[in-house]
């Protein structure tokens, strides 16, 4: 599975979409909220490339990004290359928005940081919602979205270079200006 070429990313926006509806009573004006459980990441990725280097990205866009295939995205803004711990899942059968993990050094992980589980088209991205300080090398992570599947005992938890499997959800338009080509990629987590 191809990786999105991150060297040309000019900017991106990231959003966790949730299947939540809210209705208001016309009589009491009270609100009722229904959480249907669905959650996925959506990205809008802006790419700018000098014209002489743009053809390889244009070929990537036409072959992969026009809703045809899944690709892997590593958002450079959430990578933390200084983290070298080998973090793993501690205990099989875990689900929901918490995960017991092992292999932590003295530093924990802060609310707002990201991690991923899985590789290739099974790569899933999660965001920490509460600071976690390790105790005896273990940390119970609290995060969104919910786990997509139950990770196995000892499965790797990636904190240095988190990744997510994505699929383009719209065609990729190309804006051509003198000397520069710009692309906007709208993609959603491939679940």
């Amino acid at each position: 599975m191809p990786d999105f070429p991150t060297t040309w990313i000019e900017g991106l926006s990231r959003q966790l979409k949730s299947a939540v509806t809210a209705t208001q009573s016309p009589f009491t004006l009270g609100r009722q909220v229904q959480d249907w459980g669905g959650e996925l990441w959506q990205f809008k990725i802006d790419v700018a490339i000098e014209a002489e280097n743009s053809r390889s990205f244009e070929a990537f866009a036409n072959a992969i990004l026009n809703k045809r295939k899944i690709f892997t995205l590593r958002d450079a803004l959430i990578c933390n290359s200084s983290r070298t711990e080998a973090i793993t899942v501690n205990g099989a059968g875990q689900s929901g928005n918490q995960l017991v993990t092992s292999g932590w050094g003295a530093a924990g992980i802060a609310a707002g940081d990201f991690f991923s589980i899985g590789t290739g088209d099974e790569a899933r991205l999660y965001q920490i919602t509460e600071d976690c300080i390790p105790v005896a090398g273990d940390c119970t992570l609290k995060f969104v979205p919910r786990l997509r599947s139950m990770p196995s005992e000892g499965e790797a938890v990636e904190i240095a270079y988190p990744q997510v499997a994505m699929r383009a959800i719209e065609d990729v338009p190309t804006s051509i200006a003198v000397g520069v080509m710009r692309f906007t990629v709208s993609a959603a987590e491939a679940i």
Side-chain angles (χ1 to χ4, degrees), residues 60-111:
F60 175 80
N62 289 330
I64 305 298
L65 297 180
N66 285 330
K67 302 181 246 178
R68 288 183 177 90
K69 297 182 181 174
I70 296 172
F71 62 92
T72 303
L73 176 66
R74 291 181 193 269
D75 176 357
L77 298 175
I78 64 173
C79 291
N80 189 351
S81 60
S82 65
R83 299 303 296 260
T84 58
E85 301 98 326
I87 310 302
T88 58
V89 173
N90 184 0
Q94 298 184 64
S95 62
N97 293 84
Q98 289 192 142
L99 185 67
V100 179
T101 58
S102 296
W104 295 88
I109 193 165

Side-chain angles (χ1 to χ4, degrees), residues 76-151:
L77 298 175
I78 64 173
C79 291
N80 189 351
S81 60
S82 65
R83 299 303 296 260
T84 58
E85 301 98 326
I87 310 302
T88 58
V89 173
N90 184 0
Q94 298 184 64
S95 62
N97 293 84
Q98 289 192 142
L99 185 67
V100 179
T101 58
S102 296
W104 295 88
I109 193 165
D113 286 349
F114 289 83
F115 71 95
S116 63
I117 299 175
T119 59
D121 62 355
E122 296 297 320
R124 301 292 177 242
L125 183 67
Y126 303 95
Q127 185 174 32
I128 299 295
T129 57
E130 293 182 25
D131 292 350
C132 187
I133 306 299
V135 175
D138 290 349
C139 222
T140 300
L141 306 179
K142 296 182 181 177
F143 53 86
V144 291
R146 295 172 190 91
L147 286 169
R148 303 265 182 244
S149 60
M150 291 183 198

